[in-house]
Amino acid sequence: MGHGGESRRAPAYDGELGAAVARAQQGDEAAFAVAYRLVQPGLLVYVRGLVGDDAEDVMSDAWLEIARDLGRFKGDGAGFRGWTATIARHRALDHLRRQRVRPRPSTLEQDVLDLPGPQSTYDQAMESMSTERALALVGGLPRDQAEAVLLRVVVGLDGPAAARVLGKRPGAVRTAAYRGLKRLAKQLGVESVTDEAPWTLGEST
């Protein structure tokens, strides 16, 4: 994958997010609310893919930690998405350890997805089915593939950022995402697929 694919994948709101985070670090509560609005939908979908119906509770704990440690964050909007995804994942895994359950597939809220026009064969196939079925299919993937797809497509992280969240090498995450998308495409009857799916998911309006 080239750098062009990464730049296309970056959510358009990263500039706004970075500015909001900077103001929030100076004590601007309204700016913190903007940052929350921009990243929460995607994080919630990602955590739902891990813990199912307990995602709201897990994200409440995650946001308490995010607010507490905000002053220590250093980076831009893209960095903030990666940082918050890492915190959300840790809280989800803590929850799973406490509950002693495996990650399970769950439903996607219809208003979370903002699928653009056809960009690839995979995009076209995904646009033709319900979001509930989409997440159910993702939830049926091996865990490493499911997390890679959710982080890259839903949260919008690039390969290196997703790798940092998962504690893996970027190449391993790119491979997992590709294999996951290829497996989904096969289930949907799509002949070819790439992981260059420039979706804009997780944005809120």
Side-chain angles (χ1 to χ4, degrees):
M1 284 176 35
H3 293 293
E6 303 293 3
S7 62
R8 288 196 301 272
R9 190 189 311 282
Y13 59 81
D14 271 353
E16 179 185 358
L17 176 58
V21 170
R23 294 195 307 272
Q25 289 180 312
Q26 298 172 358
D28 187 333
E29 294 183 3
F32 185 82
V34 170
Y36 174 89
R37 176 178 60 82
L38 290 173
V39 301
Q40 167 68 0
L43 289 179
L44 183 60
V45 172
Y46 169 54
V47 171
R48 275 200 175 125
L50 297 176
V51 303
D53 293 338
D54 295 329
E56 294 276 1
D57 291 338
V58 169
M59 283 309 304
S60 293
D61 290 341
W63 278 104
L64 287 175
E65 182 173 344
I66 292 166
R68 183 194 69 198
D69 295 342
L70 183 63
R72 298 191 300 205
F73 169 74
K74 294 181 181 180
D76 56 11
F80 186 74
R81 285 188 292 110
W83 182 66
T84 54
T86 299
I87 291 174
R89 182 174 189 265
H90 288 166
R91 298 290 72 76
L93 295 180
D94 286 345
H95 176 81
L96 291 173
R97 281 191 287 267
R98 288 194 301 269
Q99 299 297 319
R100 295 185 179 180
V101 298
R102 295 173 60 84
R104 56 189 182 279
S106 54
T107 59
L108 254 172
E109 291 183 347
Q110 184 70 35
D111 62 356
V112 171
L113 293 178
D114 177 19
L115 299 179
Q119 300 288 343
S120 70
T121 52
Y122 182 69
D123 292 332
Q124 295 174 40
M126 292 298 286
E127 287 181 44
S128 69
M129 68 179 191
S130 70
T131 54
E132 290 82 2
R133 176 165 168 74
L135 192 57
L137 288 175
V138 171
L141 295 173
R143 179 168 173 175
D144 63 329
Q145 295 178 17
E147 282 205 74
V149 169
L150 288 170
L151 284 172
R152 302 205 65 191
V153 176
V154 177
V155 182
L157 302 185
D158 61 18
R164 286 191 292 272
V165 173
L166 297 174
K168 297 181 177 180
R169 291 177 290 103
V173 174
R174 284 194 295 268
T175 298
Y178 173 77
R179 288 176 177 172
L181 291 175
K182 186 175 181 180
R183 182 168 175 172
L184 293 176
K186 183 176 181 180
Q187 292 178 19
L188 295 170
V190 177
E191 293 184 357
S192 63
V193 65
T194 72
D195 65 343
E196 298 291 344
W199 294 6
T200 52
L201 294 93
E203 296 184 35
S204 121
T205 57

